[in-house]
Coordinates of all heavy atoms in Angstrom, one line a residue:
M1 N -27.8 16.0 -19.9 CA -27.0 14.7 -19.7 C -25.5 15.1 -19.6 O -25.2 16.0 -20.2 CB -27.3 13.8 -21.0 CG -26.7 12.4 -20.8 SD -27.0 11.5 -22.3 CE -25.5 10.6 -22.3
F2 N -24.9 14.4 -18.9 CA -23.4 14.6 -18.6 C -22.5 13.8 -19.7 O -22.7 12.7 -19.7 CB -23.1 14.2 -17.2 CG -21.6 14.3 -16.8 CD1 -21.0 15.5 -16.8 CD2 -20.9 13.2 -16.7 CE1 -19.7 15.6 -16.4 CE2 -19.6 13.1 -16.3 CZ -19.0 14.4 -16.2
I3 N -21.7 14.6 -20.4 CA -20.9 13.9 -21.4 C -19.4 14.3 -21.1 O -19.1 15.4 -21.1 CB -21.2 14.3 -22.8 CG1 -22.7 13.8 -23.2 CG2 -20.3 13.6 -23.9 CD1 -23.2 14.3 -24.5
L4 N -18.6 13.3 -21.0 CA -17.2 13.5 -20.7 C -16.4 13.4 -22.0 O -16.5 12.4 -22.6 CB -16.7 12.4 -19.7 CG -15.4 12.7 -19.0 CD1 -15.5 13.9 -18.1 CD2 -15.0 11.5 -18.1
Y5 N -15.8 14.5 -22.4 CA -15.1 14.5 -23.6 C -13.7 15.2 -23.5 O -13.5 15.9 -22.5 CB -15.9 15.2 -24.8 CG -16.1 16.6 -24.5 CD1 -15.3 17.5 -25.1 CD2 -17.2 17.1 -23.8 CE1 -15.5 18.9 -24.9 CE2 -17.5 18.4 -23.5 CZ -16.6 19.4 -24.1 OH -16.8 20.7 -23.9
G6 N -12.9 15.0 -24.5 CA -11.6 15.6 -24.5 C -10.9 15.2 -25.7 O -11.4 14.7 -26.7
T7 N -9.5 15.6 -25.6 CA -8.7 15.1 -26.7 C -7.5 14.4 -26.2 O -7.1 14.7 -25.0 CB -8.2 16.3 -27.6 OG1 -7.5 17.2 -26.7 CG2 -9.3 16.9 -28.4
R8 N -6.8 13.6 -27.0 CA -5.5 13.1 -26.5 C -4.6 13.1 -27.7 O -5.0 13.0 -28.9 CB -5.7 11.8 -25.9 CG -5.9 10.6 -26.9 CD -5.9 9.3 -26.1 NE -6.1 8.2 -27.0 CZ -6.5 7.1 -26.7 NH1 -6.9 6.8 -25.5 NH2 -6.7 6.1 -27.6
R9 N -3.3 13.2 -27.4 CA -2.3 13.3 -28.4 C -1.3 12.2 -28.2 O -0.9 12.0 -27.0 CB -1.5 14.6 -28.4 CG -2.4 15.7 -28.8 CD -1.8 17.1 -28.6 NE -2.7 18.2 -28.8 CZ -2.8 18.7 -30.1 NH1 -2.0 18.3 -31.1 NH2 -3.7 19.7 -30.3
K10 N -0.8 11.6 -29.2 CA 0.4 10.6 -29.0 C 1.3 10.7 -30.2 O 0.8 10.9 -31.4 CB -0.1 9.2 -28.6 CG -0.9 8.6 -29.6 CD -1.2 7.3 -28.9 CE -1.9 6.3 -29.9 NZ -2.3 5.0 -29.3
I11 N 2.5 10.2 -30.0 CA 3.5 10.3 -31.1 C 3.5 8.8 -31.6 O 3.7 7.9 -30.9 CB 5.0 10.6 -30.5 CG1 5.0 12.0 -29.8 CG2 6.0 10.5 -31.6 CD1 5.0 13.2 -30.7
K12 N 3.4 8.8 -33.0 CA 3.6 7.5 -33.6 C 4.8 7.4 -34.5 O 5.0 8.3 -35.3 CB 2.3 7.2 -34.4 CG 2.3 5.9 -35.0 CD 1.0 5.7 -35.9 CE 1.0 4.2 -36.5 NZ 2.1 4.0 -37.5
I13 N 5.7 6.5 -34.2 CA 6.9 6.3 -35.0 C 6.5 5.6 -36.3 O 6.1 4.5 -36.2 CB 8.0 5.7 -34.2 CG1 8.2 6.2 -32.9 CG2 9.3 5.5 -35.0 CD1 9.1 7.6 -32.8
D14 N 6.9 6.2 -37.4 CA 6.6 5.4 -38.7 C 7.7 4.6 -39.2 O 7.5 3.5 -39.6 CB 6.1 6.5 -39.8 CG 4.6 6.7 -39.7 OD1 3.9 5.9 -39.3 OD2 4.3 7.9 -40.0
R15 N 8.8 5.2 -39.3 CA 10.0 4.3 -39.8 C 11.2 4.9 -39.2 O 11.4 6.2 -38.9 CB 10.0 4.2 -41.3 CG 10.6 5.4 -42.1 CD 10.3 5.1 -43.5 NE 11.4 4.3 -44.1 CZ 12.5 4.8 -44.7 NH1 12.7 6.2 -44.6 NH2 13.5 4.1 -45.3
S16 N 12.3 4.1 -39.1 CA 13.6 4.6 -38.7 C 14.3 5.1 -39.9 O 14.3 4.6 -41.1 CB 14.4 3.4 -38.1 OG 15.7 3.8 -37.8
L17 N 15.1 6.2 -39.7 CA 15.9 6.8 -40.7 C 17.4 6.4 -40.7 O 18.1 7.0 -41.4 CB 15.7 8.3 -40.6 CG 14.3 8.9 -40.9 CD1 14.3 10.4 -40.6 CD2 13.9 8.7 -42.4
G18 N 17.7 5.6 -39.7 CA 19.1 5.3 -39.5 C 19.8 6.3 -38.7 O 19.2 7.2 -38.2
N19 N 21.1 6.1 -38.6 CA 21.9 7.1 -37.8 C 22.1 8.3 -38.5 O 22.6 8.3 -39.7 CB 23.2 6.3 -37.5 CG 23.2 5.2 -36.4 OD1 22.2 5.3 -35.6 ND2 24.0 4.3 -36.4
R20 N 21.8 9.4 -37.9 CA 22.0 10.7 -38.5 C 22.5 11.7 -37.3 O 22.3 11.4 -36.2 CB 20.6 11.3 -38.9 CG 20.0 10.5 -40.1 CD 18.6 10.8 -40.3 NE 18.4 12.2 -40.6 CZ 17.9 12.5 -41.8 NH1 17.7 11.7 -42.7 NH2 17.7 13.8 -42.0
V21 N 23.1 12.8 -37.8 CA 23.6 13.7 -36.8 C 22.4 14.7 -36.5 O 21.9 15.3 -37.3 CB 24.8 14.5 -37.3 CG1 25.2 15.5 -36.4 CG2 26.0 13.5 -37.6
C22 N 22.1 14.7 -35.2 CA 21.0 15.7 -34.7 C 21.5 17.1 -34.9 O 22.6 17.5 -34.4 CB 20.7 15.3 -33.4 SG 19.5 16.4 -32.6
P23 N 20.7 18.0 -35.4 CA 21.1 19.4 -35.6 C 21.0 20.1 -34.3 O 21.7 21.2 -34.0 CB 20.0 20.0 -36.5 CG 19.0 19.1 -36.5 CD 19.5 17.7 -36.2
N24 N 20.4 19.5 -33.3 CA 20.3 20.2 -31.9 C 21.4 19.7 -30.9 O 22.1 20.5 -30.4 CB 18.9 19.9 -31.3 CG 18.7 20.7 -30.1 OD1 18.9 21.9 -30.0 ND2 18.3 19.9 -29.0
C25 N 21.5 18.4 -30.8 CA 22.4 17.9 -29.8 C 23.8 17.4 -30.3 O 24.6 17.1 -29.6 CB 21.8 16.9 -28.9 SG 21.3 15.4 -29.8
H26 N 23.8 17.3 -31.7 CA 25.1 17.0 -32.5 C 25.5 15.5 -32.2 O 26.7 15.3 -32.3 CB 26.1 18.0 -32.3 CG 25.8 19.4 -32.6 ND1 25.5 19.8 -33.9 CD2 25.5 20.5 -31.8 CE1 25.2 21.0 -34.0 NE2 25.1 21.5 -32.7
H27 N 24.6 14.8 -31.6 CA 25.0 13.4 -31.5 C 24.5 12.5 -32.7 O 23.6 12.9 -33.4 CB 24.3 12.8 -30.2 CG 24.8 13.2 -29.0 ND1 24.3 14.1 -28.1 CD2 26.0 12.7 -28.3 CE1 25.0 14.3 -27.1 NE2 26.0 13.5 -27.1
T28 N 25.3 11.5 -33.0 CA 24.8 10.6 -34.1 C 23.9 9.5 -33.4 O 24.5 8.6 -32.8 CB 26.1 10.0 -34.8 OG1 26.9 11.0 -35.2 CG2 25.7 9.2 -36.1
V29 N 22.7 9.6 -33.7 CA 21.8 8.7 -33.1 C 20.7 8.2 -34.1 O 20.7 8.8 -35.2 CB 21.0 9.2 -31.9 CG1 21.8 9.4 -30.7 CG2 20.3 10.6 -32.3
E30 N 20.1 7.1 -33.9 CA 19.1 6.6 -34.8 C 17.8 7.5 -34.6 O 17.2 7.6 -33.7 CB 18.8 5.2 -34.4 CG 17.9 4.5 -35.6 CD 17.7 3.1 -35.3 OE1 18.5 2.4 -34.6 OE2 16.6 2.6 -35.7
Q31 N 17.6 8.3 -35.7 CA 16.4 9.2 -35.7 C 15.2 8.5 -36.4 O 15.4 7.6 -37.2 CB 16.8 10.5 -36.4 CG 17.9 11.2 -35.6 CD 18.1 12.6 -36.0 OE1 18.0 12.9 -37.3 NE2 18.4 13.5 -35.2
S32 N 14.1 8.9 -36.2 CA 13.0 8.3 -36.8 C 11.9 9.3 -37.3 O 11.9 10.4 -36.7 CB 12.3 7.3 -35.8 OG 12.3 7.8 -34.5
L33 N 11.1 8.8 -38.3 CA 10.1 9.6 -38.8 C 8.9 9.5 -38.0 O 8.5 8.3 -37.8 CB 9.9 9.1 -40.2 CG 9.5 10.1 -41.3 CD1 10.3 11.3 -41.4 CD2 9.4 9.4 -42.6
A34 N 8.3 10.6 -37.5 CA 7.2 10.3 -36.6 C 6.1 11.4 -36.9 O 6.3 12.4 -37.4 CB 7.7 10.5 -35.1
R35 N 4.9 11.0 -36.4 CA 3.8 11.8 -36.5 C 3.1 12.0 -35.2 O 3.1 11.1 -34.3 CB 2.7 11.1 -37.4 CG 2.9 11.1 -38.9 CD 1.8 10.4 -39.6 NE 1.8 9.0 -39.3 CZ 0.8 8.1 -39.7 NH1 -0.2 8.6 -40.4 NH2 0.9 6.9 -39.4
E36 N 2.6 13.2 -35.0 CA 1.8 13.4 -33.7 C 0.4 13.3 -34.1 O -0.1 14.0 -35.1 CB 2.1 14.8 -33.1 CG 1.3 14.9 -31.8 CD 1.5 16.2 -31.1 OE1 0.8 17.2 -31.5 OE2 2.3 16.4 -30.3
K37 N -0.3 12.3 -33.5 CA -1.7 12.2 -33.8 C -2.6 12.6 -32.7 O -2.3 12.4 -31.5 CB -1.9 10.7 -34.0 CG -1.2 10.1 -35.3 CD -1.6 8.7 -35.5 CE -2.8 8.7 -36.4 NZ -3.2 7.3 -36.7
A38 N -3.7 13.2 -33.1 CA -4.5 13.7 -32.1 C -5.9 12.9 -32.2 O -6.2 12.6 -33.4 CB -4.8 15.2 -32.2
A39 N -6.6 12.8 -31.2 CA -7.9 12.1 -31.3 C -8.9 12.7 -30.3 O -8.6 13.1 -29.2 CB -7.8 10.6 -31.0
A40 N -10.1 12.9 -30.8 CA -11.2 13.4 -30.0 C -11.8 12.2 -29.3 O -12.0 11.1 -29.8 CB -12.2 14.1 -30.8
T41 N -12.0 12.4 -28.0 CA -12.5 11.2 -27.1 C -13.8 11.6 -26.5 O -14.1 12.7 -26.1 CB -11.6 10.8 -26.1 OG1 -11.3 11.9 -25.3 CG2 -10.2 10.5 -26.6
I42 N -14.7 10.6 -26.4 CA -15.9 10.8 -25.6 C -15.9 9.6 -24.5 O -15.7 8.4 -25.0 CB -17.1 10.7 -26.5 CG1 -17.2 12.0 -27.4 CG2 -18.5 10.7 -25.6 CD1 -18.3 11.9 -28.5
F43 N -15.9 9.9 -23.3 CA -15.8 9.0 -22.3 C -14.5 8.1 -22.5 O -14.4 6.9 -22.3 CB -17.0 8.0 -22.2 CG -18.2 8.7 -21.7 CD1 -19.3 9.0 -22.6 CD2 -18.4 9.2 -20.4 CE1 -20.4 9.7 -22.2 CE2 -19.5 10.0 -20.0 CZ -20.5 10.1 -21.0
F44 N -13.4 8.8 -22.8 CA -12.0 8.3 -22.9 C -12.0 7.2 -24.1 O -10.9 6.6 -24.3 CB -11.6 7.6 -21.7 CG -11.7 8.5 -20.5 CD1 -12.5 8.4 -19.5 CD2 -10.7 9.6 -20.4 CE1 -12.6 9.3 -18.4 CE2 -10.7 10.5 -19.3 CZ -11.7 10.3 -18.3
I45 N -13.0 7.2 -25.0 CA -12.8 6.4 -26.2 C -12.6 7.2 -27.4 O -13.4 8.2 -27.6 CB -14.2 5.6 -26.4 CG1 -14.4 4.7 -25.1 CG2 -14.2 4.8 -27.6 CD1 -15.8 4.1 -25.0
P46 N -11.5 7.0 -28.2 CA -11.3 7.8 -29.3 C -12.3 7.7 -30.4 O -12.7 6.5 -30.8 CB -9.9 7.4 -29.9 CG -9.5 6.3 -29.0 CD -10.5 5.9 -27.9
V47 N -12.9 8.8 -30.8 CA -14.0 8.8 -31.8 C -13.5 9.0 -33.2 O -13.8 8.3 -34.1 CB -15.0 9.8 -31.4 CG1 -16.3 9.7 -32.3 CG2 -15.5 9.6 -30.0
F48 N -12.6 10.0 -33.3 CA -11.9 10.2 -34.6 C -10.6 10.8 -34.4 O -10.4 11.5 -33.4 CB -12.8 11.0 -35.7 CG -13.1 12.4 -35.2 CD1 -12.2 13.4 -35.7 CD2 -14.1 12.7 -34.4 CE1 -12.4 14.7 -35.3 CE2 -14.4 14.0 -34.1 CZ -13.5 15.1 -34.6
G49 N -9.7 10.5 -35.4 CA -8.3 11.0 -35.1 C -7.8 11.7 -36.4 O -8.4 11.6 -37.4
W50 N -6.8 12.5 -36.2 CA -6.1 13.2 -37.3 C -4.6 13.4 -36.9 O -4.3 13.3 -35.8 CB -6.8 14.5 -37.6 CG -6.7 15.6 -36.5 CD1 -5.8 16.6 -36.4 CD2 -7.6 15.7 -35.4 NE1 -6.1 17.2 -35.3 CE2 -7.2 16.7 -34.6 CE3 -8.7 14.9 -34.9 CZ2 -7.8 17.1 -33.4 CZ3 -9.2 15.3 -33.7 CH2 -8.8 16.4 -33.0
T51 N -3.9 13.7 -38.0 CA -2.5 13.9 -37.8 C -2.2 15.4 -37.7 O -2.7 16.2 -38.4 CB -1.6 13.4 -39.0 OG1 -1.9 12.0 -39.1 CG2 -0.2 13.6 -38.8
T52 N -1.5 15.8 -36.5 CA -1.3 17.2 -36.3 C 0.0 17.8 -36.7 O 0.2 18.8 -37.3 CB -1.5 17.7 -34.9 OG1 -0.6 16.8 -34.1 CG2 -2.9 17.4 -34.4
K53 N 1.1 16.9 -36.6 CA 2.4 17.3 -36.9 C 3.1 16.1 -37.5 O 3.0 15.0 -37.1 CB 3.1 17.7 -35.7 CG 2.7 19.0 -35.0 CD 3.5 19.2 -33.8 CE 2.8 20.4 -33.0 NZ 3.2 20.3 -31.6
R54 N 4.0 16.4 -38.4 CA 4.9 15.4 -39.0 C 6.3 15.8 -38.7 O 6.6 17.0 -38.9 CB 4.7 15.3 -40.5 CG 3.4 14.8 -41.0 CD 3.1 15.0 -42.4 NE 1.7 14.5 -42.7 CZ 0.6 15.2 -42.5 NH1 0.6 16.4 -41.9 NH2 -0.6 14.7 -42.8
M55 N 7.1 15.0 -38.3 CA 8.5 15.4 -37.9 C 9.5 14.4 -37.9 O 9.2 13.2 -38.1 CB 8.4 16.0 -36.4 CG 7.9 14.8 -35.5 SD 7.3 15.6 -34.1 CE 5.8 14.6 -33.7
I56 N 10.8 14.8 -37.8 CA 12.0 13.8 -37.6 C 12.2 14.0 -36.1 O 12.5 15.0 -35.6 CB 13.2 14.2 -38.4 CG1 12.8 14.1 -39.9 CG2 14.4 13.3 -38.1 CD1 14.0 14.7 -40.8
Y57 N 12.2 12.8 -35.4 CA 12.3 12.8 -34.0 C 13.7 12.3 -33.6 O 14.1 11.3 -34.0 CB 11.2 11.9 -33.4 CG 11.2 11.8 -31.9 CD1 10.9 12.9 -31.1 CD2 11.6 10.6 -31.4 CE1 10.8 12.7 -29.7 CE2 11.5 10.4 -30.0 CZ 11.2 11.5 -29.2 OH 11.2 11.4 -27.9
C58 N 14.3 13.0 -32.7 CA 15.7 12.5 -32.1 C 15.3 12.0 -30.7 O 14.9 12.8 -29.8 CB 16.6 13.8 -32.0 SG 18.1 13.4 -31.1
P59 N 15.6 10.7 -30.5 CA 15.4 10.1 -29.2 C 16.4 10.5 -28.1 O 16.1 10.4 -26.9 CB 15.5 8.6 -29.5 CG 16.3 8.5 -30.7 CD 16.1 9.7 -31.5
C60 N 17.5 11.1 -28.5 CA 18.6 11.5 -27.6 C 18.1 12.8 -26.8 O 18.2 12.8 -25.6 CB 19.8 11.8 -28.3 SG 21.3 12.2 -27.3
C61 N 17.7 13.8 -27.6 CA 17.4 15.1 -26.9 C 15.8 15.4 -26.9 O 15.4 16.3 -26.3 CB 18.2 16.3 -27.5 SG 17.9 16.5 -29.2
G62 N 15.1 14.6 -27.7 CA 13.7 14.7 -27.8 C 13.2 15.9 -28.7 O 12.2 16.3 -28.7
T63 N 14.2 16.4 -29.5 CA 13.9 17.5 -30.5 C 13.2 16.9 -31.7 O 13.5 15.8 -32.1 CB 15.1 18.2 -30.9 OG1 15.8 18.7 -29.7 CG2 14.9 19.3 -31.9
A64 N 12.3 17.6 -32.2 CA 11.7 17.2 -33.4 C 11.8 18.3 -34.4 O 11.5 19.5 -34.2 CB 10.2 16.9 -33.2
K65 N 12.2 17.9 -35.7 CA 12.3 18.9 -36.8 C 10.9 18.7 -37.6 O 10.6 17.6 -38.1 CB 13.4 18.5 -37.6 CG 13.6 19.5 -38.9 CD 14.9 19.1 -39.8 CE 14.9 19.9 -40.9 NZ 13.9 19.8 -41.9
M66 N 10.2 19.8 -37.8 CA 8.9 19.8 -38.3 C 9.0 19.6 -39.9 O 9.9 20.1 -40.5 CB 8.2 21.0 -38.1 CG 7.8 21.2 -36.6 SD 6.8 19.7 -36.1 CE 7.2 19.9 -34.3
L67 N 8.2 18.7 -40.5 CA 8.2 18.5 -41.9 C 6.8 18.9 -42.4 O 5.8 18.8 -41.8 CB 8.5 17.0 -42.2 CG 9.8 16.5 -41.8 CD1 9.7 14.9 -42.0 CD2 11.0 17.0 -42.5
S68 N 6.8 19.3 -43.7 CA 5.5 19.4 -44.4 C 5.0 18.1 -44.9 O 5.7 17.2 -44.8 CB 5.7 20.4 -45.6 OG 6.4 19.8 -46.5
R69 N 3.8 18.1 -45.2 CA 3.1 16.9 -45.7 C 3.9 16.2 -46.9 O 4.1 15.0 -46.8 CB 1.7 17.1 -46.2 CG 0.9 15.9 -46.5 CD -0.5 16.3 -47.0 NE -1.3 16.7 -45.9 CZ -2.4 16.2 -45.5 NH1 -2.9 15.1 -46.2 NH2 -3.1 16.7 -44.5
S70 N 4.3 17.1 -47.9 CA 5.0 16.4 -49.0 C 6.5 16.0 -48.7 O 6.9 14.9 -49.1 CB 5.1 17.5 -50.2 OG 5.6 18.7 -49.7
E71 N 7.1 16.8 -47.8 CA 8.5 16.3 -47.4 C 8.4 14.9 -46.6 O 9.2 14.0 -46.9 CB 9.0 17.3 -46.4 CG 9.6 18.5 -47.0 CD 10.1 19.6 -45.9 OE1 9.4 19.7 -44.8 OE2 11.1 20.1 -46.2
Y72 N 7.3 14.8 -45.9 CA 7.2 13.6 -45.0 C 6.9 12.4 -46.0 O 7.5 11.3 -45.8 CB 5.9 13.8 -44.1 CG 5.7 12.7 -43.1 CD1 6.5 12.8 -42.0 CD2 4.8 11.7 -43.3 CE1 6.3 11.7 -41.0 CE2 4.7 10.7 -42.4 CZ 5.4 10.7 -41.2 OH 5.2 9.7 -40.4
K73 N 6.1 12.6 -47.0 CA 5.7 11.6 -48.0 C 7.0 11.1 -48.7 O 7.3 9.9 -48.8 CB 4.8 12.1 -49.1 CG 3.4 11.7 -48.7 CD 2.4 12.0 -49.9 CE 1.1 11.7 -49.6 NZ 0.2 12.3 -50.7
E74 N 7.8 12.0 -49.1 CA 9.1 11.8 -49.7 C 10.0 10.8 -48.9 O 10.6 9.9 -49.3 CB 9.8 13.1 -50.0 CG 9.3 13.8 -51.3 CD 9.6 13.2 -52.6 OE1 10.8 12.9 -52.9 OE2 8.6 12.9 -53.2
M75 N 10.1 11.3 -47.6 CA 11.0 10.6 -46.7 C 10.5 9.2 -46.3 O 11.3 8.3 -46.1 CB 11.2 11.4 -45.4 CG 12.0 12.8 -45.8 SD 12.7 13.5 -44.2 CE 14.1 12.5 -43.9
K76 N 9.3 9.1 -46.3 CA 8.7 7.8 -46.0 C 8.9 6.8 -47.1 O 9.1 5.6 -46.9 CB 7.1 7.9 -45.8 CG 6.6 6.9 -44.8 CD 5.1 7.1 -44.5 CE 4.6 5.9 -43.7 NZ 3.2 6.1 -43.5
K77 N 8.9 7.3 -48.4 CA 9.1 6.5 -49.6 C 10.5 6.0 -49.7 O 10.8 4.9 -50.0 CB 8.7 7.2 -50.8 CG 7.2 7.0 -51.2 CD 6.9 7.5 -52.6 CE 6.8 9.0 -52.7 NZ 6.6 9.6 -54.0
A78 N 11.4 7.0 -49.4 CA 12.9 6.8 -49.6 C 13.5 5.5 -48.9 O 12.9 5.3 -47.8 CB 13.6 8.0 -49.4
Ligands
LIG101 ZN1 19.2 15.4 -30.5

């Protein structure tokens, strides 16, 4: 039997952190707390998903600063 499967990834923005200076482009822009989520798909339907990366995302230059799971939790609560 023929089974079409694969994975897909997308960025999910969790909350805005307000205006911060980006360490990469040095612009003061509204940065946000984001997660990269991956999902396994069968016939393009997501079957199960998991979080691969946690980061602070800069919409100006597209740079992401990686965070650990505990750092991420702290920032989400604050
Ligand atoms: Zn930037």
Side-chain angles (χ1 to χ4, degrees):
M1 196 184 140
F2 172 72
I3 299 175
L4 197 62
Y5 65 94
T7 57
R8 74 173 183 203
R9 288 167 189 273
K10 64 180 183 184
I11 305 277
K12 185 182 181 294
I13 307 282
D14 273 327
R15 84 186 272 271
S16 170
L17 294 172
N19 288 333
R20 296 162 64 108
V21 177
C22 173
N24 184 54
C25 63
H26 304 290
H27 283 104
T28 306
V29 287
E30 192 179 327
Q31 297 188 324
S32 38
L33 210 55
R35 282 181 290 174
E36 187 184 78
K37 298 187 80 180
T41 59
I42 295 174
F43 293 109
F44 306 107
I45 299 161
V47 184
F48 66 95
W50 65 97
T51 300
T52 53
K53 289 173 192 163
R54 293 165 180 82
M55 60 200 138
I56 297 171
Y57 178 73
C58 171
C60 185
C61 59
T63 301
K65 181 184 179 288
M66 295 303 154
L67 298 173
S68 70
R69 185 186 286 244
S70 54
E71 280 176 325
Y72 189 85
K73 262 189 182 171
E74 284 288 305
M75 295 197 74
K76 205 175 173 185
K77 265 192 289 181

